[in-house]
Amino acid sequence: MTVGNKSLLGIARDISSSSPEAREEASERVCDWVHSFDRREVRAVATLLSSAVVIEGNRDCRESELNALSELTASGLIEAEDLVALRELRRDLLTEPDAEHYDYLISEFF
């Protein structure tokens, strides 16, 4: 199954949006569609989300992005290289829920 190029580009656009609402909605769509992505789509979205998390200034968006990354791992299609940007994230600056997602992702992939 696949979400298709148009939907993939929409998610990419919204993940990189200046609007916190759009970024949070994109993360929620990722969670909703997690089993609809093919391998290429999962890896592209995971790479974008992991980069977004590192620079995210909005706490709610960061939590949604980390949650979406955790949900994507259920696909079994993510590779460590897709999440390499997470190595730049400072754990000491994360809230407890964010740290739980972060710890899970780091323990699974690094």
Side-chain angles (χ1 to χ4, degrees), residues 42-103:
V42 164
R43 296 194 69 199
V45 171
T47 299
L48 289 171
L49 279 172
S50 64
S51 294
V53 165
V54 172
I55 62 169
E56 183 61 68
N58 182 292
R59 292 172 76 173
D60 292 333
C61 288
R62 184 174 49 235
E63 183 176 356
S64 293
E65 291 159 355
L66 284 166
N67 181 60
L69 281 171
S70 295
E71 290 288 325
L72 278 174
T73 65
S75 71
L77 301 174
I78 290 181
E79 304 286 336
E81 66 191 37
D82 305 329
L83 305 178
V84 73
L86 290 180
R87 291 183 176 185
E88 299 174 36
L89 192 58
R90 290 192 45 198
R91 188 190 186 287
D92 61 315
L93 299 179
L94 300 177
T95 64
E96 187 59 34
D98 291 352
E100 288 177 22
H101 288 299
Y102 174 81
D103 290 343

